[in-house]
Amino acid sequence: MNNYRKETLCVQAGYKPKTGESRIPPIAQSTTFFYGDTQSMADCFDLKSADFFYSRLANPTVAAFEGKVAALEGGVAAIGCASGMSATTLTTFTLAGAGDNVLCSQAVYGGTFNLFGTTLPKLGIECRFFDPDDSEENIERLIDGKTKLIFTETIANPSIVVLDIEKISRIAAKHGIVHAVDNTLATPVLCRPKEFGANIIIHSSSKYLDGHAAALGGVIVDLGNFVFKGNPRYSSFNEPDESYHGLVFADLPSAQFATKCRAQMIRDIGAIMSPENAFLSYIGSDTLALRMERHSKNAAAVAEYLDKHPKTEKVLHPSLAGNKYHALAQKYLPEGQGGMLSFLIKGTSADCARFMESLKLITQETHVADVRSCVLHPASTTHRQLSEEDLKKAGVPQNLVRLSVGIENIEDIISDLDQALAKI
Ligand SMILES: *Cc1c(COP(=O)(O)O)cnc(C)c1O
């Protein structure tokens, strides 16, 4: 299956029915699974068998979606989580504990910024934020013997910063640290961070993967290219796990990270994807390749329109030749730069509000990256907890409007923007 191209994987990967079974993954709406003998069940508990036994650990419908996303990202295993945030949290807990630290790009989703900046420090995991555009030397200076993770985002939401994946992966590899990339807004259709050295992929499948704003979810993909064996940073992978009869995760033949994450973190914390959400996400992602093509095309057209408009100060979309990230986007996102753009209105927060309230087709939503176009004013919503200084660090000035361009007809999108801009 992994030899097929992405358009094929979107519709075919993750589930293969046997004769007489349903063509699309059925919703296995069951907490538990039947076993006729004691040994088979015991083997499940010992990780000797990959059969299903309890839906907090694994479920057939969730497995279908996990298989599809793993195939799309070129990974060896994936874990469907309750949300994108839980995917990030579970990934961090699998690698780091109290006394450890992580490096996180400052150009990340607001929720990720809060998780690393506020919540994890309360549990003793320190976060060191860095500017992803900074030099390798400056970023490296933040690393010490306790650094367990470098966390970045392919296309940062809402600052639309395109990540130089290879640069960060090079730093991570040099120091033997796991590099996890949140690939939510690029999707594996537009970018596969594995090709540039990333080790783990995080998705909020609530966005483009589902694509219809129907199901909350997250996915962790283990790309299978990180060597835990003998790496002194990751003693928890190299020491026996007493809760699995002394299993050493680094000794597993593959999917060491995903196995530890599921066997320990999913088992103990339980933030797993529900079968129904996995079903919706699975069928939603059938059209991912087609949708990303249209999202990218529409957003590039909107960016060009807004860029010329006298009432905008600046438009952030890497399709624009003058964009700071245009060159990086040509390398990492050559087939399309996605549907997310931000722009600065010439004016105040109040002008942003007037513009947004005047829109008729495009709606105000916290959500992004689904088929419908929507807008948001981050400074007064998703990022309102942040101080003026942190807003600047996150690339979110007061007059910035985030626009998630949907797959509607481009003429309709532009005429809605046009009439609303005229109201300012
Ligand atoms: C939405 C989002 C998240 C969080 O995902 P949830 O499914 O809402 O928990 C993480 N990263 C990015 C880039 C996002 O857009």
Side-chain angles (χ1 to χ4, degrees):
M1 190 53 79
N2 282 329
N3 295 331
Y4 289 112
R5 289 164 185 83
K6 58 199 175 194
E7 295 82 358
T8 310
L9 295 174
C10 282
V11 294
Q12 297 283 358
Y15 175 73
K16 197 168 194 301
K18 298 191 192 76
T19 305
E21 288 182 348
S22 65
R23 183 62 191 88
I24 63 168
I27 305 178
Q29 193 63 55
S30 182
T31 56
T32 191
F33 300 84
F34 168 76
Y35 286 92
D37 65 288
T38 320
Q39 190 55 49
S40 314
M41 184 97 146
D43 287 348
C44 292
F45 276 90
D46 277 356
L47 303 178
K48 284 180 191 150
S49 155
D51 286 340
F52 301 101
F53 62 113
Y54 191 52
S55 285
R56 169 155 46 76
L57 285 150
N59 170 282
T61 316
V62 180
F65 183 53
E66 290 167 344
K68 184 190 283 195
V69 181
L72 278 165
E73 291 286 6
V76 295
I79 300 175
C81 302
S83 64
M85 288 315 301
S86 57
T88 302
T89 305
L90 291 160
T91 294
T92 308
F93 285 172
T94 304
L95 298 164
D100 292 332
N101 65 71
V102 302
L103 263 57
C104 180
S105 161
Q106 68 193 23
V108 288
Y109 175 70
T112 307
F113 196 86
N114 290 334
L115 172 71
F116 283 118
T118 307
T119 303
L120 293 182
K122 288 181 187 158
L123 303 175
I125 300 173
E126 185 206 336
C127 180
R128 301 169 180 182
F129 287 103
F130 65 89
D131 176 352
D133 295 338
D134 208 344
S135 69
E136 287 186 45
E137 300 73 53
N138 282 345
I139 297 170
E140 270 188 275
R141 252 181 236 133
L142 300 172
I143 295 171
D144 64 22
K146 292 281 188 188
T147 306
K148 300 294 165 80
L149 169 67
I150 303 182
F151 193 92
T152 58
E153 226 170 89
T154 321
I155 304 175
N157 167 14
S159 50
I160 324 290
V161 170
V162 178
L163 180 73
D164 188 345
I165 305 173
E166 257 176 2
K167 177 175 85 176
I168 306 297
S169 287
R170 197 160 49 231
I171 297 170
K174 181 173 165 194
H175 294 269
I177 303 170
V178 170
H179 180 202
V181 179
D182 181 335
N183 199 31
T184 298
L185 294 182
T187 83
V189 165
L190 300 181
C191 178
R192 275 175 146 193
K194 185 184 183 181
E195 291 164 12
F196 306 103
N199 308 115
I200 290 169
I201 301 294
I202 302 291
H203 276 288
S204 164
S205 61
S206 324
K207 312 294 167 51
Y208 287 126
L209 287 178
D210 160 34
H212 299 78
L216 206 71
V219 186
I220 302 165
V221 185
D222 182 346
L223 297 174
N225 56 358
F226 189 85
V227 182
F228 288 100
K229 182 76 184 163
N231 185 331
R233 257 181 221 285
Y234 298 101
S235 52
S236 69
F237 281 77
N238 285 285
E239 286 163 4
D241 177 3
E242 294 317 324
S243 63
Y244 278 106
H245 311 303
L247 176 75
V248 176
F249 289 103
D251 287 341
L252 292 171
S254 83
Q256 298 149 357
F257 175 84
T259 307
K260 184 174 190 282
C261 183
R262 193 185 293 275
Q264 291 182 338
M265 291 309 147
I266 294 281
R267 177 195 64 186
D268 298 350
I269 293 170
I272 196 86
M273 182 177 275
S274 76
E276 187 159 350
N277 280 351
F279 172 79
L280 291 167
S281 308
Y282 184 95
I283 56 170
S285 57
D286 285 349
T287 54
L288 182 67
L290 266 180
R291 284 187 281 107
M292 291 319 291
E293 198 179 307
R294 174 66 75 86
H295 279 296
S296 299
K297 211 171 136 209
N298 278 358
V302 168
E304 207 186 311
Y305 159 78
L306 287 174
D307 198 42
K308 293 193 186 111
H309 201 285
K311 287 186 180 162
T312 64
E313 183 184 308
K314 193 171 185 179
V315 181
L316 306 171
H317 192 262
S319 63
L320 295 169
N323 185 271
K324 186 178 172 191
Y325 300 102
H326 187 67
L328 280 177
Q330 283 186 317
K331 171 173 178 178
Y332 294 111
L333 305 157
E335 290 172 48
Q337 296 78 44
M340 294 294 307
L341 63 84
S342 290
F343 62 101
L344 276 63
I345 280 181
K346 269 187 199 148
T348 60
S349 236
D351 291 316
C352 294
R354 196 164 309 119
F355 159 74
M356 287 166 56
E357 284 163 8
S358 304
L359 290 164
K360 292 183 174 127
L361 173 72
I362 303 167
T363 47
Q364 284 192 57
E365 286 167 38
T366 348
H367 199 254
V368 293
D370 68 72
V371 290
R372 282 162 283 271
S373 294
C374 60
V375 282
L376 180 86
H377 184 229
S380 65
T381 54
T382 46
H383 287 63
R384 75 179 288 130
Q385 301 90 336
L386 303 192
S387 65
E388 193 75 33
E389 192 191 331
D390 283 345
L391 278 177
K392 223 180 266 161
K393 265 197 207 161
V396 187
Q398 293 286 345
N399 58 338
L400 179 137
V401 173
R402 182 179 77 183
L403 171 59
S404 172
V405 182
I407 61 170
E408 301 95 341
N409 182 288
I410 186 62
E411 304 296 332
D412 291 335
I413 297 172
I414 288 178
S415 50
D416 195 33
L417 292 169
D418 207 53
Q419 63 81 23
L421 281 168
K423 304 262 162 58
I424 309 178

